[in-house]
Amino acid sequence: MFCPKCGSLMYPKNGKWICSKCGYEMQISKNDKNDKIVNKAKEKEVILIDSEFSVLPVDENVTCPKCGNRGAYWMLKQTRAADEPETRFYICTKCGYRWREY
């Protein structure tokens, strides 16, 4: 189920669909209750790790431009055309500030 407000994925909780992004809520209809996807989602615990960065590698040679801390989590993403280099994103290990390096 997708949120009619922002288009993000919704998950079932306490008889309602809840948007994972904006928090929009709507009742689960009778047709949805018979759906196997809803029943399986109720059986399993959903874990969101949006603020959990400990699985990312740490670069100790990078200094945070906001707090001056040495050390930041980093990840690479292809944000432009395939023939151009990827963008490196940093997240400060102390204050959580995010910045990027092209």
Side-chain angles (χ1 to χ4, degrees):
M1 173 68 72
F2 293 97
C3 178
K5 202 171 182 185
C6 68
S8 294
L9 189 62
M10 298 180 78
Y11 59 93
K13 184 177 182 183
N14 299 330
K16 295 181 181 179
W17 286 109
I18 312 261
C19 178
S20 59
K21 186 174 183 182
C22 71
Y24 178 81
E25 296 181 7
M26 62 188 244
Q27 287 295 111
I28 295 177
S29 69
K30 291 180 182 179
N31 293 337
D32 291 339
K33 287 183 180 178
N34 295 330
D35 191 3
K36 290 180 181 179
I37 295 172
V38 174
N39 292 332
K40 283 186 179 180
K42 285 183 181 178
E43 293 172 4
K44 295 186 180 186
E45 185 176 337
V46 177
I47 299 172
L48 301 175
I49 57 168
D50 186 32
S51 62
E52 188 95 22
F53 302 115
S54 61
V55 297
L56 296 174
V58 177
D59 186 348
E60 298 292 335
N61 298 322
V62 176
T63 303
C64 175
K66 187 174 181 184
C67 72
N69 179 50
R70 290 189 57 84
Y73 302 109
W74 62 273
M75 61 188 141
L76 296 174
K77 290 194 177 183
Q78 190 69 37
T79 57
R80 294 172 279 170
D83 63 337
E84 297 183 32
E86 63 273 339
T87 303
R88 184 175 293 216
F89 291 90
Y90 292 102
I91 304 163
C92 179
T93 56
K94 183 177 180 184
C95 69
Y97 180 70
R98 297 174 184 223
W99 72 98
R100 62 182 169 210
E101 180 181 275
Y102 296 101

